[in-house]
PDB file of all heavy atoms in Angstrom:
ATOM      1  N   ILE F  21       0.856  20.083   5.981  1.00 91.00           N
ATOM      2  CA  ILE F  21      -0.025  20.502   7.188  1.00 91.00           C
ATOM      3  C   ILE F  21       0.387  21.796   7.714  1.00 91.00           C
ATOM      4  O   ILE F  21      -0.385  22.455   8.381  1.00 91.00           O
ATOM      5  CB  ILE F  21       0.040  19.547   8.259  1.00 91.00           C
ATOM      6  CG1 ILE F  21       1.389  19.233   8.819  1.00 91.00           C
ATOM      7  CG2 ILE F  21      -0.631  18.129   7.781  1.00 91.00           C
ATOM      8  CD1 ILE F  21       1.460  18.511  10.154  1.00 91.00           C
ATOM      9  N   ALA F  22       1.481  22.323   7.422  1.00 93.00           N
ATOM     10  CA  ALA F  22       2.091  23.682   8.045  1.00 93.00           C
ATOM     11  C   ALA F  22       3.236  24.129   7.243  1.00 93.00           C
ATOM     12  O   ALA F  22       3.932  23.484   6.495  1.00 93.00           O
ATOM     13  CB  ALA F  22       2.447  23.364   9.371  1.00 93.00           C
ATOM     14  N   VAL F  34      10.668  26.837  16.169  1.00 95.00           N
ATOM     15  CA  VAL F  34      10.113  27.698  15.057  1.00 95.00           C
ATOM     16  C   VAL F  34       8.629  27.883  15.260  1.00 95.00           C
ATOM     17  O   VAL F  34       8.086  27.205  16.037  1.00 95.00           O
ATOM     18  CB  VAL F  34      10.334  27.014  13.721  1.00 95.00           C
ATOM     19  CG1 VAL F  34      11.805  26.872  13.352  1.00 95.00           C
ATOM     20  CG2 VAL F  34       9.782  25.518  13.698  1.00 95.00           C
ATOM     21  N   THR F  36       5.107  27.538  13.468  1.00 95.00           N
ATOM     22  CA  THR F  36       4.462  27.016  12.282  1.00 95.00           C
ATOM     23  C   THR F  36       3.049  27.480  12.233  1.00 95.00           C
ATOM     24  O   THR F  36       2.402  27.664  13.178  1.00 95.00           O
ATOM     25  CB  THR F  36       4.399  25.475  12.334  1.00 95.00           C
ATOM     26  OG1 THR F  36       3.790  25.005  13.556  1.00 95.00           O
ATOM     27  CG2 THR F  36       5.950  24.951  12.346  1.00 95.00           C
ATOM     28  N   VAL F  37       2.497  27.732  11.000  1.00 92.00           N
ATOM     29  CA  VAL F  37       1.168  28.098  10.770  1.00 92.00           C
ATOM     30  C   VAL F  37       0.561  27.044   9.810  1.00 92.00           C
ATOM     31  O   VAL F  37       1.148  26.529   8.864  1.00 92.00           O
ATOM     32  CB  VAL F  37       1.072  29.509  10.099  1.00 92.00           C
ATOM     33  CG1 VAL F  37       1.494  30.512  11.029  1.00 92.00           C
ATOM     34  CG2 VAL F  37       1.788  29.598   8.949  1.00 92.00           C
ATOM     35  N   PRO F  38      -0.798  26.647  10.097  1.00 89.00           N
ATOM     36  CA  PRO F  38      -1.509  25.734   9.197  1.00 89.00           C
ATOM     37  C   PRO F  38      -1.581  26.301   7.877  1.00 89.00           C
ATOM     38  O   PRO F  38      -1.598  27.519   7.526  1.00 89.00           O
ATOM     39  CB  PRO F  38      -2.812  25.590   9.795  1.00 89.00           C
ATOM     40  CG  PRO F  38      -2.789  26.278  11.251  1.00 89.00           C
ATOM     41  CD  PRO F  38      -1.707  27.182  11.150  1.00 89.00           C
ATOM     42  N   PRO F  43      -6.942  23.022  10.147  1.00 80.00           N
ATOM     43  CA  PRO F  43      -6.699  23.451  11.588  1.00 80.00           C
ATOM     44  C   PRO F  43      -5.199  23.116  11.953  1.00 80.00           C
ATOM     45  O   PRO F  43      -4.586  22.425  11.206  1.00 80.00           O
ATOM     46  CB  PRO F  43      -7.697  22.566  12.565  1.00 80.00           C
ATOM     47  CG  PRO F  43      -7.934  21.394  11.578  1.00 80.00           C
ATOM     48  CD  PRO F  43      -7.855  21.981  10.187  1.00 80.00           C
ATOM     49  N   SER F  44      -4.751  23.673  13.198  1.00 85.00           N
ATOM     50  CA  SER F  44      -3.415  23.265  13.425  1.00 85.00           C
ATOM     51  C   SER F  44      -3.259  21.731  13.885  1.00 85.00           C
ATOM     52  O   SER F  44      -4.098  21.232  14.569  1.00 85.00           O
ATOM     53  CB  SER F  44      -3.083  24.070  14.737  1.00 85.00           C
ATOM     54  OG  SER F  44      -1.671  23.692  15.074  1.00 85.00           O
ATOM     55  N   LEU F  45      -2.402  21.121  13.060  1.00 89.00           N
ATOM     56  CA  LEU F  45      -2.255  19.601  13.243  1.00 89.00           C
ATOM     57  C   LEU F  45      -0.887  19.278  13.805  1.00 89.00           C
ATOM     58  O   LEU F  45      -0.595  17.986  14.099  1.00 89.00           O
ATOM     59  CB  LEU F  45      -2.553  18.960  11.878  1.00 89.00           C
ATOM     60  CG  LEU F  45      -3.924  19.112  11.216  1.00 89.00           C
ATOM     61  CD1 LEU F  45      -3.776  18.656   9.783  1.00 89.00           C
ATOM     62  CD2 LEU F  45      -4.803  18.432  12.029  1.00 89.00           C
ATOM     63  N   VAL F  46      -0.050  20.252  13.987  1.00 93.00           N
ATOM     64  CA  VAL F  46       1.254  19.948  14.647  1.00 93.00           C
ATOM     65  C   VAL F  46       1.071  19.606  15.956  1.00 93.00           C
ATOM     66  O   VAL F  46       0.489  20.400  16.844  1.00 93.00           O
ATOM     67  CB  VAL F  46       2.150  21.182  14.375  1.00 93.00           C
ATOM     68  CG1 VAL F  46       3.521  20.955  15.080  1.00 93.00           C
ATOM     69  CG2 VAL F  46       2.394  21.442  12.832  1.00 93.00           C
ATOM     70  N   ARG F  47       1.597  18.425  16.490  1.00 93.00           N
ATOM     71  CA  ARG F  47       1.522  17.936  17.880  1.00 93.00           C
ATOM     72  C   ARG F  47       2.836  17.196  18.154  1.00 93.00           C
ATOM     73  O   ARG F  47       3.552  16.638  17.409  1.00 93.00           O
ATOM     74  CB  ARG F  47       0.280  17.108  18.047  1.00 93.00           C
ATOM     75  CG  ARG F  47       0.297  15.940  17.187  1.00 93.00           C
ATOM     76  CD  ARG F  47      -0.861  14.985  17.495  1.00 93.00           C
ATOM     77  NE  ARG F  47      -1.062  13.992  16.578  1.00 93.00           N
ATOM     78  CZ  ARG F  47      -0.269  12.912  16.309  1.00 93.00           C
ATOM     79  NH1 ARG F  47       0.861  12.736  17.072  1.00 93.00           N
ATOM     80  NH2 ARG F  47      -0.333  12.048  15.285  1.00 93.00           N
ATOM     81  N   ALA F  48       3.058  17.165  19.478  1.00 94.00           N
ATOM     82  CA  ALA F  48       4.263  16.529  20.027  1.00 94.00           C
ATOM     83  C   ALA F  48       4.111  14.932  19.580  1.00 94.00           C
ATOM     84  O   ALA F  48       3.079  14.312  19.587  1.00 94.00           O
ATOM     85  CB  ALA F  48       4.442  16.600  21.543  1.00 94.00           C
ATOM     86  N   GLY F  49       5.204  14.408  19.200  1.00 95.00           N
ATOM     87  CA  GLY F  49       5.293  12.994  18.674  1.00 95.00           C
ATOM     88  C   GLY F  49       5.121  12.725  17.177  1.00 95.00           C
ATOM     89  O   GLY F  49       5.346  11.681  16.700  1.00 95.00           O
ATOM     90  N   LEU F  50       4.611  13.804  16.504  1.00 96.00           N
ATOM     91  CA  LEU F  50       4.219  13.677  15.144  1.00 96.00           C
ATOM     92  C   LEU F  50       5.566  13.658  14.296  1.00 96.00           C
ATOM     93  O   LEU F  50       6.375  14.475  14.428  1.00 96.00           O
ATOM     94  CB  LEU F  50       3.411  14.711  14.592  1.00 96.00           C
ATOM     95  CG  LEU F  50       2.877  14.720  13.108  1.00 96.00           C
ATOM     96  CD1 LEU F  50       2.041  13.475  12.957  1.00 96.00           C
ATOM     97  CD2 LEU F  50       2.159  15.982  12.791  1.00 96.00           C
ATOM     98  N   GLU F  51       5.749  12.700  13.382  1.00 96.00           N
ATOM     99  CA  GLU F  51       6.865  12.621  12.611  1.00 96.00           C
ATOM    100  C   GLU F  51       6.528  13.322  11.364  1.00 96.00           C
ATOM    101  O   GLU F  51       5.520  13.206  10.651  1.00 96.00           O
ATOM    102  CB  GLU F  51       7.275  11.205  12.150  1.00 96.00           C
ATOM    103  CG  GLU F  51       8.670  11.168  11.447  1.00 96.00           C
ATOM    104  CD  GLU F  51       9.144   9.728  11.172  1.00 96.00           C
ATOM    105  OE1 GLU F  51       8.270   8.831  11.092  1.00 96.00           O
ATOM    106  OE2 GLU F  51      10.270   9.568  11.193  1.00 96.00           O
ATOM    107  N   VAL F  52       7.487  14.331  10.888  1.00 96.00           N
ATOM    108  CA  VAL F  52       7.195  15.263   9.725  1.00 96.00           C
ATOM    109  C   VAL F  52       8.381  15.338   8.923  1.00 96.00           C
ATOM    110  O   VAL F  52       9.413  15.049   9.250  1.00 96.00           O
ATOM    111  CB  VAL F  52       6.856  16.711  10.169  1.00 96.00           C
ATOM    112  CG1 VAL F  52       5.502  16.769  10.874  1.00 96.00           C
ATOM    113  CG2 VAL F  52       7.879  17.312  11.034  1.00 96.00           C
ATOM    114  N   ALA F  53       8.138  15.517   7.557  1.00 95.00           N
ATOM    115  CA  ALA F  53       9.173  15.814   6.614  1.00 95.00           C
ATOM    116  C   ALA F  53       9.126  17.276   6.140  1.00 95.00           C
ATOM    117  O   ALA F  53       8.161  17.860   6.004  1.00 95.00           O
ATOM    118  CB  ALA F  53       8.927  14.851   5.384  1.00 95.00           C
ATOM    119  N   HIS F  65      11.888  14.776  10.903  1.00 95.00           N
ATOM    120  CA  HIS F  65      12.127  15.250  12.140  1.00 95.00           C
ATOM    121  C   HIS F  65      10.829  14.778  12.979  1.00 95.00           C
ATOM    122  O   HIS F  65       9.775  14.544  12.425  1.00 95.00           O
ATOM    123  CB  HIS F  65      12.011  16.691  12.171  1.00 95.00           C
ATOM    124  CG  HIS F  65      13.322  17.381  11.455  1.00 95.00           C
ATOM    125  ND1 HIS F  65      14.551  17.405  12.030  1.00 95.00           N
ATOM    126  CD2 HIS F  65      13.347  17.750  10.161  1.00 95.00           C
ATOM    127  CE1 HIS F  65      15.292  18.042  11.038  1.00 95.00           C
ATOM    128  NE2 HIS F  65      14.595  18.323  10.019  1.00 95.00           N
ATOM    129  N   THR F  66      11.006  14.660  14.258  1.00 95.00           N
ATOM    130  CA  THR F  66       9.843  14.432  15.254  1.00 95.00           C
ATOM    131  C   THR F  66       9.607  15.732  15.963  1.00 95.00           C
ATOM    132  O   THR F  66      10.527  16.405  16.480  1.00 95.00           O
ATOM    133  CB  THR F  66      10.203  13.249  16.209  1.00 95.00           C
ATOM    134  OG1 THR F  66      10.511  12.135  15.397  1.00 95.00           O
ATOM    135  CG2 THR F  66       8.898  12.990  17.026  1.00 95.00           C
ATOM    136  N   VAL F  67       8.317  16.043  15.999  1.00 96.00           N
ATOM    137  CA  VAL F  67       7.920  17.251  16.840  1.00 96.00           C
ATOM    138  C   VAL F  67       8.085  16.808  18.276  1.00 96.00           C
ATOM    139  O   VAL F  67       7.403  15.913  18.906  1.00 96.00           O
ATOM    140  CB  VAL F  67       6.560  17.596  16.562  1.00 96.00           C
ATOM    141  CG1 VAL F  67       6.128  18.749  17.314  1.00 96.00           C
ATOM    142  CG2 VAL F  67       6.291  17.961  15.084  1.00 96.00           C
ATOM    143  N   THR F  68       9.096  17.659  18.887  1.00 96.00           N
ATOM    144  CA  THR F  68       9.231  17.252  20.476  1.00 96.00           C
ATOM    145  C   THR F  68       8.321  18.028  21.253  1.00 96.00           C
ATOM    146  O   THR F  68       8.036  17.730  22.451  1.00 96.00           O
ATOM    147  CB  THR F  68      10.777  17.481  20.710  1.00 96.00           C
ATOM    148  OG1 THR F  68      11.136  18.784  20.487  1.00 96.00           O
ATOM    149  CG2 THR F  68      11.642  16.513  19.969  1.00 96.00           C
ATOM    150  N   SER F  69       7.847  19.301  20.818  1.00 94.00           N
ATOM    151  CA  SER F  69       6.864  19.948  21.632  1.00 94.00           C
ATOM    152  C   SER F  69       6.203  20.877  20.681  1.00 94.00           C
ATOM    153  O   SER F  69       6.704  21.311  19.650  1.00 94.00           O
ATOM    154  CB  SER F  69       7.522  20.782  22.829  1.00 94.00           C
ATOM    155  OG  SER F  69       8.193  21.866  22.235  1.00 94.00           O
ATOM    156  N   ALA F  70       5.072  21.186  20.988  1.00 92.00           N
ATOM    157  CA  ALA F  70       4.164  22.124  20.230  1.00 92.00           C
ATOM    158  C   ALA F  70       3.055  22.819  21.044  1.00 92.00           C
ATOM    159  O   ALA F  70       2.253  22.201  21.696  1.00 92.00           O
ATOM    160  CB  ALA F  70       3.352  21.425  19.035  1.00 92.00           C
ATOM    161  N   THR F  71       3.203  24.103  21.069  1.00 90.00           N
ATOM    162  CA  THR F  71       2.262  24.848  21.934  1.00 90.00           C
ATOM    163  C   THR F  71       1.690  26.021  21.036  1.00 90.00           C
ATOM    164  O   THR F  71       2.389  26.601  20.332  1.00 90.00           O
ATOM    165  CB  THR F  71       2.884  25.466  23.202  1.00 90.00           C
ATOM    166  OG1 THR F  71       4.073  26.249  22.727  1.00 90.00           O
ATOM    167  CG2 THR F  71       3.350  24.434  24.207  1.00 90.00           C
ATOM    168  N   SER F  72       0.359  26.173  21.313  1.00 81.00           N
ATOM    169  CA  SER F  72      -0.271  27.319  20.411  1.00 81.00           C
ATOM    170  C   SER F  72      -1.043  28.131  21.312  1.00 81.00           C
ATOM    171  O   SER F  72      -1.750  27.780  22.277  1.00 81.00           O
ATOM    172  CB  SER F  72      -1.292  26.454  19.465  1.00 81.00           C
ATOM    173  OG  SER F  72      -1.979  27.422  18.670  1.00 81.00           O
ATOM    174  N   GLY F  77       0.023  31.144  15.486  1.00 86.00           N
ATOM    175  CA  GLY F  77       0.745  29.995  15.051  1.00 86.00           C
ATOM    176  C   GLY F  77       1.057  29.041  16.215  1.00 86.00           C
ATOM    177  O   GLY F  77       0.739  29.356  17.351  1.00 86.00           O
ATOM    178  N   THR F  78       1.891  28.043  15.913  1.00 92.00           N
ATOM    179  CA  THR F  78       2.216  26.966  16.921  1.00 92.00           C
ATOM    180  C   THR F  78       3.845  27.060  17.165  1.00 92.00           C
ATOM    181  O   THR F  78       4.456  27.034  16.200  1.00 92.00           O
ATOM    182  CB  THR F  78       1.850  25.582  16.431  1.00 92.00           C
ATOM    183  OG1 THR F  78       0.418  25.583  16.205  1.00 92.00           O
ATOM    184  CG2 THR F  78       2.175  24.622  17.483  1.00 92.00           C
ATOM    185  N   LEU F  79       4.155  27.205  18.389  1.00 93.00           N
ATOM    186  CA  LEU F  79       5.642  27.181  18.756  1.00 93.00           C
ATOM    187  C   LEU F  79       5.898  25.743  18.758  1.00 93.00           C
ATOM    188  O   LEU F  79       5.492  24.893  19.435  1.00 93.00           O
ATOM    189  CB  LEU F  79       5.874  27.842  20.095  1.00 93.00           C
ATOM    190  CG  LEU F  79       7.297  27.931  20.570  1.00 93.00           C
ATOM    191  CD1 LEU F  79       8.074  28.809  19.600  1.00 93.00           C
ATOM    192  CD2 LEU F  79       7.309  28.583  21.906  1.00 93.00           C
ATOM    193  N   THR F  80       6.922  25.368  17.885  1.00 95.00           N
ATOM    194  CA  THR F  80       7.214  24.043  17.512  1.00 95.00           C
ATOM    195  C   THR F  80       8.719  23.714  17.617  1.00 95.00           C
ATOM    196  O   THR F  80       9.569  24.591  17.101  1.00 95.00           O
ATOM    197  CB  THR F  80       6.826  23.701  16.081  1.00 95.00           C
ATOM    198  OG1 THR F  80       5.548  24.044  15.989  1.00 95.00           O
ATOM    199  CG2 THR F  80       7.113  22.210  15.717  1.00 95.00           C
ATOM    200  N   ALA F  81       9.011  22.716  18.361  1.00 94.00           N
ATOM    201  CA  ALA F  81      10.486  22.245  18.489  1.00 94.00           C
ATOM    202  C   ALA F  81      10.619  20.966  17.721  1.00 94.00           C
ATOM    203  O   ALA F  81       9.709  20.019  17.867  1.00 94.00           O
ATOM    204  CB  ALA F  81      10.808  22.032  19.947  1.00 94.00           C
ATOM    205  N   LEU F  82      11.612  20.907  16.906  1.00 95.00           N
ATOM    206  CA  LEU F  82      11.718  19.671  16.095  1.00 95.00           C
ATOM    207  C   LEU F  82      13.130  19.015  16.526  1.00 95.00           C
ATOM    208  O   LEU F  82      14.155  19.618  16.816  1.00 95.00           O
ATOM    209  CB  LEU F  82      11.852  19.963  14.584  1.00 95.00           C
ATOM    210  CG  LEU F  82      10.559  20.590  13.996  1.00 95.00           C
ATOM    211  CD1 LEU F  82      10.879  21.256  12.602  1.00 95.00           C
ATOM    212  CD2 LEU F  82       9.425  19.722  13.962  1.00 95.00           C
ATOM    213  N   SER F  83      13.055  17.669  16.474  1.00 94.00           N
ATOM    214  CA  SER F  83      14.273  16.882  16.725  1.00 94.00           C
ATOM    215  C   SER F  83      15.338  17.220  15.642  1.00 94.00           C
ATOM    216  O   SER F  83      15.060  17.481  14.598  1.00 94.00           O
ATOM    217  CB  SER F  83      14.127  15.350  16.771  1.00 94.00           C
ATOM    218  OG  SER F  83      13.668  14.937  15.393  1.00 94.00           O
ATOM    219  N   LEU F  99       5.747  21.503   6.169  1.00 96.00           N
ATOM    220  CA  LEU F  99       5.840  20.293   6.861  1.00 96.00           C
ATOM    221  C   LEU F  99       4.909  19.222   6.415  1.00 96.00           C
ATOM    222  O   LEU F  99       3.668  19.667   6.263  1.00 96.00           O
ATOM    223  CB  LEU F  99       5.657  20.414   8.414  1.00 96.00           C
ATOM    224  CG  LEU F  99       6.537  21.378   9.200  1.00 96.00           C
ATOM    225  CD1 LEU F  99       6.240  21.515  10.746  1.00 96.00           C
ATOM    226  CD2 LEU F  99       8.090  20.903   8.927  1.00 96.00           C
ATOM    227  N   LEU F 100       5.223  18.172   6.043  1.00 95.00           N
ATOM    228  CA  LEU F 100       4.444  17.070   5.567  1.00 95.00           C
ATOM    229  C   LEU F 100       4.248  16.009   6.738  1.00 95.00           C
ATOM    230  O   LEU F 100       5.240  15.710   7.284  1.00 95.00           O
ATOM    231  CB  LEU F 100       4.967  16.394   4.258  1.00 95.00           C
ATOM    232  CG  LEU F 100       5.328  17.224   3.109  1.00 95.00           C
ATOM    233  CD1 LEU F 100       5.707  16.294   1.938  1.00 95.00           C
ATOM    234  CD2 LEU F 100       4.065  17.970   2.602  1.00 95.00           C
ATOM    235  N   ALA F 101       3.024  15.391   6.721  1.00 95.00           N
ATOM    236  CA  ALA F 101       2.836  14.268   7.650  1.00 95.00           C
ATOM    237  C   ALA F 101       2.200  13.204   6.940  1.00 95.00           C
ATOM    238  O   ALA F 101       1.415  13.411   6.030  1.00 95.00           O
ATOM    239  CB  ALA F 101       2.005  14.824   8.828  1.00 95.00           C
ATOM    240  N   ARG F 102       2.279  11.942   7.501  1.00 93.00           N
ATOM    241  CA  ARG F 102       1.634  10.850   6.868  1.00 93.00           C
ATOM    242  C   ARG F 102       0.161  11.014   7.177  1.00 93.00           C
ATOM    243  O   ARG F 102      -0.256  11.267   8.333  1.00 93.00           O
ATOM    244  CB  ARG F 102       2.059   9.488   7.447  1.00 93.00           C
ATOM    245  CG  ARG F 102       3.465   9.160   7.009  1.00 93.00           C
ATOM    246  CD  ARG F 102       3.935   7.799   7.712  1.00 93.00           C
ATOM    247  NE  ARG F 102       5.319   7.649   7.498  1.00 93.00           N
ATOM    248  CZ  ARG F 102       6.222   8.148   8.385  1.00 93.00           C
ATOM    249  NH1 ARG F 102       5.876   8.731   9.490  1.00 93.00           N
ATOM    250  NH2 ARG F 102       7.483   7.933   8.190  1.00 93.00           N
ATOM    251  N   GLU F 103      -0.802  10.705   6.278  1.00 88.00           N
ATOM    252  CA  GLU F 103      -2.222  10.967   6.463  1.00 88.00           C
ATOM    253  C   GLU F 103      -2.631   9.992   7.568  1.00 88.00           C
ATOM    254  O   GLU F 103      -3.562  10.339   8.340  1.00 88.00           O
ATOM    255  CB  GLU F 103      -2.991  10.613   5.138  1.00 88.00           C
ATOM    256  CG  GLU F 103      -2.994  11.700   4.151  1.00 88.00           C
ATOM    257  CD  GLU F 103      -3.841  11.651   3.037  1.00 88.00           C
ATOM    258  OE1 GLU F 103      -4.472  10.524   2.889  1.00 88.00           O
ATOM    259  OE2 GLU F 103      -4.077  12.594   2.248  1.00 88.00           O
ATOM    260  N   GLN F 104      -2.067   8.702   7.681  1.00 89.00           N
ATOM    261  CA  GLN F 104      -2.509   7.863   8.732  1.00 89.00           C
ATOM    262  C   GLN F 104      -2.147   8.351  10.089  1.00 89.00           C
ATOM    263  O   GLN F 104      -2.738   7.925  11.062  1.00 89.00           O
ATOM    264  CB  GLN F 104      -1.851   6.460   8.414  1.00 89.00           C
ATOM    265  CG  GLN F 104      -0.302   6.503   8.662  1.00 89.00           C
ATOM    266  CD  GLN F 104       0.477   5.396   8.119  1.00 89.00           C
ATOM    267  OE1 GLN F 104       0.067   4.815   7.122  1.00 89.00           O
ATOM    268  NE2 GLN F 104       1.527   4.881   8.725  1.00 89.00           N
ATOM    269  N   ASP F 105      -1.209   9.466  10.081  1.00 92.00           N
ATOM    270  CA  ASP F 105      -0.805   9.818  11.469  1.00 92.00           C
ATOM    271  C   ASP F 105      -1.797  11.113  11.928  1.00 92.00           C
ATOM    272  O   ASP F 105      -1.626  11.673  13.122  1.00 92.00           O
ATOM    273  CB  ASP F 105       0.519  10.350  11.584  1.00 92.00           C
ATOM    274  CG  ASP F 105       1.619   9.173  11.315  1.00 92.00           C
ATOM    275  OD1 ASP F 105       1.117   7.946  11.668  1.00 92.00           O
ATOM    276  OD2 ASP F 105       2.719   9.430  11.001  1.00 92.00           O
ATOM    277  N   LEU F 106      -2.606  11.575  11.016  1.00 88.00           N
ATOM    278  CA  LEU F 106      -3.455  12.689  11.295  1.00 88.00           C
ATOM    279  C   LEU F 106      -4.765  12.249  11.871  1.00 88.00           C
ATOM    280  O   LEU F 106      -5.163  11.195  11.801  1.00 88.00           O
ATOM    281  CB  LEU F 106      -3.642  13.446   9.891  1.00 88.00           C
ATOM    282  CG  LEU F 106      -2.312  14.038   9.333  1.00 88.00           C
ATOM    283  CD1 LEU F 106      -2.620  14.668   7.954  1.00 88.00           C
ATOM    284  CD2 LEU F 106      -1.651  14.862  10.198  1.00 88.00           C
ATOM    285  N   PRO F 107      -5.483  13.228  12.511  1.00 85.00           N
ATOM    286  CA  PRO F 107      -6.798  12.807  13.088  1.00 85.00           C
ATOM    287  C   PRO F 107      -7.748  12.117  12.045  1.00 85.00           C
ATOM    288  O   PRO F 107      -7.782  12.505  10.918  1.00 85.00           O
ATOM    289  CB  PRO F 107      -7.341  14.091  13.555  1.00 85.00           C
ATOM    290  CG  PRO F 107      -6.132  15.006  13.698  1.00 85.00           C
ATOM    291  CD  PRO F 107      -5.174  14.605  12.718  1.00 85.00           C
ATOM    292  N   SER F 108      -8.554  11.178  12.575  1.00 75.00           N
ATOM    293  CA  SER F 108      -9.462  10.420  11.588  1.00 75.00           C
ATOM    294  C   SER F 108     -10.614  11.280  11.262  1.00 75.00           C
ATOM    295  O   SER F 108     -11.210  11.115  10.207  1.00 75.00           O
ATOM    296  CB  SER F 108     -10.075   9.212  12.383  1.00 75.00           C
ATOM    297  OG  SER F 108     -10.660   9.699  13.599  1.00 75.00           O
ATOM    298  N   ASP F 109     -10.845  12.415  12.000  1.00 72.00           N
ATOM    299  CA  ASP F 109     -12.043  13.259  11.508  1.00 72.00           C
ATOM    300  C   ASP F 109     -11.509  14.379  10.740  1.00 72.00           C
ATOM    301  O   ASP F 109     -12.239  15.523  10.463  1.00 72.00           O
ATOM    302  CB  ASP F 109     -12.895  13.727  12.744  1.00 72.00           C
ATOM    303  CG  ASP F 109     -12.055  14.755  13.644  1.00 72.00           C
ATOM    304  OD1 ASP F 109     -10.852  14.765  13.460  1.00 72.00           O
ATOM    305  OD2 ASP F 109     -12.581  15.512  14.454  1.00 72.00           O
ATOM    306  N   LEU F 110     -10.226  14.409  10.239  1.00 76.00           N
ATOM    307  CA  LEU F 110      -9.797  15.521   9.399  1.00 76.00           C
ATOM    308  C   LEU F 110     -10.676  15.926   8.243  1.00 76.00           C
ATOM    309  O   LEU F 110     -10.760  17.025   7.934  1.00 76.00           O
ATOM    310  CB  LEU F 110      -8.311  15.243   8.861  1.00 76.00           C
ATOM    311  CG  LEU F 110      -7.629  16.236   8.076  1.00 76.00           C
ATOM    312  CD1 LEU F 110      -7.496  17.626   8.912  1.00 76.00           C
ATOM    313  CD2 LEU F 110      -6.241  15.792   7.549  1.00 76.00           C
TER     314      LEU F 110
END
Side-chain angles (χ1 to χ4, degrees):
I21 61 166
V34 294
T36 59
V37 292
S44 180
L45 298 170
V46 177
R47 59 174 169 71
L50 183 66
E51 190 175 31
V52 295
H65 299 276
T66 300
V67 177
T68 57
S69 71
T71 55
S72 175
T78 302
L79 182 60
T80 306
L82 300 170
S83 63
L99 302 182
L100 303 182
R102 292 178 194 89
E103 283 190 352
Q104 67 195 33
D105 296 338
L106 299 176
S108 60
D109 69 345
L110 181 61

